Amino acid sequence: MATSTTRHTRAVTKPVRHARRPRASRRVARTAAITVGVLALSGTTGAAALYAQVQGGIDVADVDQFLGDDRPAAAEEAAPVDGYAGRPINILVMGTDVRDGENAALAGDVDGMRSDTTLLVHLSADRSRVDVVSIPRDSLVDIPSCTLEDGSTTDPRASHMFNEAFQVGAGTTQNLAAAAACTRLTFEQASGLRTDESIVVKMDGVRDVIDALGGVPIDLPEAMDSPKAGLDVPAGQQVFDGTTALAFLRARTGTGNGLEMGSDLARIERQQQLIDALAAQVQSTNLLTDAGTLLPVLTSVTRSLSISSGLADVRDLAGLALTLRDVDPATLSPVTVPVIDSPVEAGRVEWTAAADDLWARIAADQPLTDAATTDPTGAATGAATGA
């Protein structure tokens, strides 16, 4: 397995969660199920006009042309049904801070682009399980040579922030496909896992989806003020519109709800807090039964995505989604790559040896947590990955 030169074997400071799932993770699972359900509906109802509108909004990213041949071996392929039937899928999802068009108005005009949020989404071969792993953007990793849009290649970079790979691949032309490819290659080199597909989500897509749902109710334990992100909200129950929700997701510095830490790891926890609230809102709507609600949400999603070619057709997404409709919500529990504070660079983190176990489980298509057992006294026990 390929490893980063920055890995250490010190104690894990952020262990992978135990098999007992909190309520929040169940809501996250329901959100994922609802999302794929939306895609399934769009591909199976025969509504040609709806399909044409949604399909026309997808920006197809030919990521494969930049990936090259020096990559981990692909999983053995079976006869396709959903395009990947019979085999596990690893999808790298990147939220980008690219400031094009409306995104500049939302967050300011800044040169370059990086991946603010990166998730590995693993679908088990039997489609009974969805695993989600958050990759801290401040992780120090080695960035390999990447191919740019003009065919030239970049020099390898040792011990750089993970999210810089996106900017390196984007080059001066800010090509999203090349940016996604460089991020995928960086992840593959650091983890030893092959990624099958990728999705890049722009900031305005997050805003528009939440606005299409009528906002997201959220209950904050304390007021938050982040001038840099443009966030100033009181404590207590309230409804975030898309712009406020986006500021909440982006905020990393300020006061309230962990902003004092200025930490990307704390921001990941807040992002999961918003996902929890968003899941509850999605459940309370008739998103999957009312075309008037479904259409704007689908349109908002697809126009702000850059998707690798294997998932770029709505019908392909629908076929995959159909196989996930019966996923047990209890099988989904988002985890974060086990890290420690970097001893060589302040404000950065490094993956611990426990991350190797995480990637090994995914490579073997095994659950990320050991199954809980019951001892003679009736108490539940279970070992967590990386503990």
Side-chain angles (χ1 to χ4, degrees):
M1 177 180 298
T3 58
S4 168
T5 57
T6 60
R7 290 216 187 133
H8 293 262
T9 58
R10 293 165 57 184
V12 181
T13 59
K14 195 169 183 66
V16 175
R17 299 172 187 172
H18 288 264
R20 184 183 297 275
R21 269 64 177 185
R23 179 178 299 177
S25 67
R26 292 178 180 269
R27 287 183 177 172
V28 173
R30 288 193 289 268
T31 297
I34 288 171
T35 300
V36 296
V38 169
L39 297 170
L41 183 60
S42 70
T44 58
T45 59
L50 174 61
Y51 167 78
Q53 182 168 352
V54 174
Q55 182 62 41
I58 293 180
D59 175 14
V60 180
D62 186 7
V63 175
D64 290 348
Q65 64 176 311
F66 299 103
L67 293 175
D69 298 321
D70 186 16
R71 304 174 61 204
E76 184 176 351
E77 192 164 358
V81 174
D82 62 9
Y84 281 97
R87 55 176 292 197
I89 310 175
N90 292 324
I91 304 172
L92 203 64
V93 181
M94 294 152 272
T96 178
D97 64 358
V98 60
R99 309 297 172 85
D100 61 343
E102 292 183 58
N103 294 293
L106 285 170
D109 191 1
V110 177
D111 291 336
M113 61 172 73
R114 287 180 172 85
S115 54
D116 263 1
T117 302
T118 303
L119 305 172
L120 176 71
V121 179
H122 173 83
L123 310 181
S124 64
D126 62 6
R127 300 298 184 264
S128 66
R129 193 181 68 255
V130 179
D131 300 317
V132 180
V133 182
S134 293
I135 304 167
R137 72 167 202 162
D138 294 336
S139 300
L140 291 179
V141 296
D142 295 339
I143 301 176
S145 176
C146 295
T147 302
L148 303 181
E149 184 179 22
D150 62 5
S152 63
T153 57
T154 63
D155 292 329
R157 306 184 184 196
S159 192
H160 276 246
M161 282 177 60
F162 177 81
N163 75 328
E164 289 183 17
F166 198 85
Q167 184 177 32
V168 169
T172 59
T173 61
Q174 297 197 358
N175 184 282
L176 286 178
C182 191
T183 303
R184 286 173 62 174
L185 289 174
T186 299
F187 171 78
E188 290 181 345
Q189 176 176 278
S191 67
L193 287 175
R194 182 186 177 98
T195 56
D196 300 290
E197 302 289 351
S198 56
I199 299 174
V200 177
V201 185
K202 301 177 185 178
M203 289 185 291
D204 56 350
V206 176
R207 177 202 63 189
D208 292 348
V209 167
I210 291 177
D211 282 343
L213 290 171
V216 54
I218 190 168
D219 189 2
L220 296 180
E222 54 187 359
M224 298 178 64
D225 183 19
S226 177
K228 189 173 181 179
L231 180 70
D232 184 8
V233 291
Q237 293 195 8
Q238 55 204 288
V239 177
F240 282 178
D241 61 14
T243 300
T244 305
L246 178 60
F248 179 85
L249 290 171
R250 293 181 58 243
R252 191 167 70 150
T253 60
T255 58
N257 205 15
L259 288 174
E260 296 86 353
M261 299 173 61
S263 165
D264 185 50
L265 298 179
R267 180 167 62 172
I268 288 174
E269 292 182 357
R270 288 191 298 273
Q271 289 171 346
Q272 294 176 349
Q273 180 184 8
L274 184 67
I275 290 174
D276 181 24
L278 181 59
Q281 173 66 356
V282 169
Q283 282 188 295
S284 69
T285 69
N286 55 354
L287 183 62
L288 299 182
T289 58
D290 181 3
T293 302
L294 172 64
L295 182 56
V297 173
L298 281 174
T299 303
S300 296
V301 172
T302 56
R303 78 176 184 82
S304 297
L305 301 182
S306 177
I307 307 177
S308 57
S309 55
L311 294 177
D313 192 299
V314 172
R315 289 167 297 189
D316 293 336
L317 284 169
L320 177 61
L322 283 172
T323 67
L324 298 172
R325 289 183 357 187
D326 296 326
V327 169
D328 181 358
T331 65
L332 181 75
S333 182
V335 302
T336 302
V337 178
V339 297
I340 58 169
D341 291 335
S342 172
V344 298
E345 187 171 349
R348 305 291 179 254
V349 297
E350 299 178 10
W351 298 359
T352 70
D356 291 334
D357 179 58
L358 183 68
W359 308 134
R361 289 183 181 236
I362 292 176
D365 198 21
Q366 296 176 345
L368 300 188
T369 55
D370 295 328
T373 59
T374 302
D375 65 24
T377 66
T381 62
T385 303

